[in-house]
Amino acid sequence: MACVLGLTRRALDEAGVSPDHIDCVAFTKGPGMGAPLACVACVARTVAQLWDRPLVAVNHCVGHIEMGRMVTGANNPTVLYASGGNTQETVFAMLVEVTERAMAHTHSQEVLIVGGVGCNLRLQAMMERMCEERGAQLYSTNESFCVDNGAMIAQTGALMYTANTITPLRASSTTQRFRTDEVEVNWRE
């Protein structure tokens, strides 16, 4: 634990902040691989207790979406969250078709691509073409925001904290299969 606290201290020093500047401690509750999730939750609980700060458990997928919305300025987009490695042409065509159907059903004129596969330039080009044909706007982020990153968890945690969505210590467990539709998004209208 001393190694983790040392790393935390170095990160704060590099950022030029102290624990007094921190309002809450956000961590990824899931989905993801069990061991890394459990390790991060343990560190988050420890830091939150040491600094007497509230915990905020963030859904990894929602983190991607909120970061994408913040970086691109998308207002109320249809979101394609594509993760898990890059895939050949047919799967991309299927993703574009399903996204177009979702847009039609929700009367959306915006598409936001997030997640690691969202970095794929071919997927972005195919989605852009569909959006042009519909007169819609495509939003995508660069690789530094598509791939997993701590900033997306911190950003979403800040939104949740502002909406008073705090995670009690007893509920700070992790789950590898934390579904996006299980998240109550009370920080948006």
Side-chain angles (χ1 to χ4, degrees), residues 21-33:
H21 296 104
I22 307 297
D23 292 325
C24 65
V25 177
F27 70 100
T28 302
K29 180 177 179 74
M33 297 185 301

Side-chain angles (χ1 to χ4, degrees), residues 59-79:
N59 178 287
H60 177 91
C61 307
V62 173
H64 275 293
I65 294 166
E66 290 298 345
M67 179 58 78
R69 288 183 67 155
M70 184 191 76
V71 169
T72 65
N75 181 37
N76 190 22
T78 299
V79 177

Side-chain angles (χ1 to χ4, degrees), residues 116-127:
V117 179
C119 296
N120 188 290
L121 297 178
R122 178 63 183 143
L123 175 59
Q124 290 180 13
M126 292 171 75
M127 195 68 74

